[in-house]
Amino acid sequence: MLTITRDLVDRIIAHARADHPDEACGVIAGPAGSDRPTRFVAMTNAERSPTFYRFDSIEQLKVWREMDDRDEEPVVIYHSHTSTEAYPSRTDISYAMEPQAHYVLVSTREDLETDRLVVDGVEFRSYRILDGEVTEEEVRVVESYA
Amino acid sequence: MAIEVRIPTILRTYTDGAKAVEGKGGTLDELIGDLDARHPGLRDRLVEGEGLRRFVNVYLNDEDVRFLGGLSTPVADGDTVTVLPAVAGG
């Protein structure tokens, strides 16, 4: 299960809407081992594409070093799909390299029909991706962490 | 003096869990060969054919080696090489 504050959900959604129709991507860092996302970092999609994303490599180095210095890890790695459902694609699965991360996918597609969480017209789902296997998980949105 | 190489979590199975290892060489290719002698299998996770794997980022100090010289990038004692898996998908 992913437990995440409403504020962080809103920031992911806002980023996805702003970059639509290109895919938006980013990370939410949190204290290592806490499983608690706290620090929102929007990343540049170096591909600037409606069908692909890749963190800008130099920006990634800077952000990963900051996390190291703060004893943080990427608790959430998010990206948007802009014309398909918020489910990991084959490439999403094959390049998933952070086994401890929650992979959040949002969808800004138009014909939205889903029984999953929808915020401001955008579908929001979360997964674990481990050794090529995808497991969807429940998303619990809270006002703040107790 | 040696070259420090920072290893991402996903590749630490090759380094007995170490976050950083040391190696030597005049180019990135030689450095990776030197590491592979002590950490067998590591090279194959970084290199494919004549070049770096597409979804592995390798940095020399603060620069992406793709924009330097790839595997032929010169390296020297005191440099830091950082390996990070690219975060990418579709």
Side-chain angles (χ1 to χ4, degrees):
Chain A
M1 181 170 70
L2 169 65
T3 302
I4 184 170
T5 61
R6 185 170 303 281
D7 170 61
L8 291 169
V9 170
D10 289 346
R11 293 181 77 173
I12 292 175
I13 301 286
H15 185 202
R17 291 179 74 92
D19 282 15
H20 183 90
D22 286 345
E23 294 194 5
C25 56
V27 55
I28 308 178
S34 70
D35 202 34
R36 177 172 288 190
T38 54
R39 192 166 64 85
F40 180 84
V41 187
M43 301 289 290
T44 302
N45 178 3
E47 303 286 330
R48 297 183 199 286
S49 158
T51 56
F52 202 75
Y53 81 98
R54 179 175 184 149
F55 284 8
D56 176 84
S57 68
I58 297 297
E59 194 179 20
Q60 187 188 345
L61 176 65
K62 182 177 146 271
V63 171
W64 256 243
R65 274 193 186 150
E66 273 169 13
M67 286 194 286
D68 233 20
D69 292 345
R70 294 162 172 254
D71 204 16
E72 291 173 339
E73 63 189 4
V75 179
V76 167
I77 293 175
Y78 73 87
H79 78 283
S80 62
H81 285 173
T82 58
S83 61
T84 57
E85 66 172 327
Y87 191 86
S89 64
R90 280 211 323 244
T91 45
D92 291 335
I93 296 163
S94 57
Y95 304 138
M97 291 292 168
E98 299 283 354
Q100 86 293 341
H102 300 268
Y103 282 89
V104 165
L105 274 102
V106 301
S107 173
T108 53
R109 73 186 185 279
E110 272 173 20
D111 57 334
L112 192 65
E113 256 187 62
T114 177
D115 55 0
R116 301 306 205 282
L117 176 65
V118 173
V119 179
D120 199 14
V122 176
E123 183 187 26
F124 187 106
R125 296 166 73 172
S126 182
Y127 306 86
R128 296 288 192 169
I129 305 177
L130 195 59
D131 295 329
E133 194 175 317
V134 176
T135 311
E136 185 164 7
E137 60 183 359
E138 189 189 333
V139 177
R140 190 165 71 102
V141 181
V142 296
E143 293 308 319
S144 65
Y145 301 122
Chain B
M1 286 286 277
I3 301 158
E4 184 191 43
V5 182
R6 303 188 64 86
I7 304 291
T9 315
I10 194 117
L11 296 181
R12 287 179 198 159
T13 46
Y14 296 94
T15 61
D16 296 323
K19 289 173 83 165
V21 294
E22 291 196 336
K24 58 185 186 334
T27 62
L28 182 61
D29 199 23
E30 289 172 13
L31 173 65
I32 291 172
D34 176 60
L35 294 179
D36 195 68
R38 272 163 289 123
H39 309 286
L42 192 56
R43 184 173 199 282
D44 190 52
R45 296 297 300 270
L46 306 178
V47 176
E48 188 172 31
E50 300 297 300
L52 287 166
R53 286 187 177 274
R54 189 168 162 221
F55 290 100
V56 175
N57 295 332
V58 179
Y59 307 89
L60 173 63
N61 302 319
D62 294 331
E63 295 195 75
D64 187 333
V65 299
R66 273 192 190 80
F67 306 119
L68 300 172
L71 282 175
S72 52
T73 302
V75 295
D77 283 355
D79 280 340
T80 299
V81 170
T82 305
V83 178
L84 287 182
V87 181

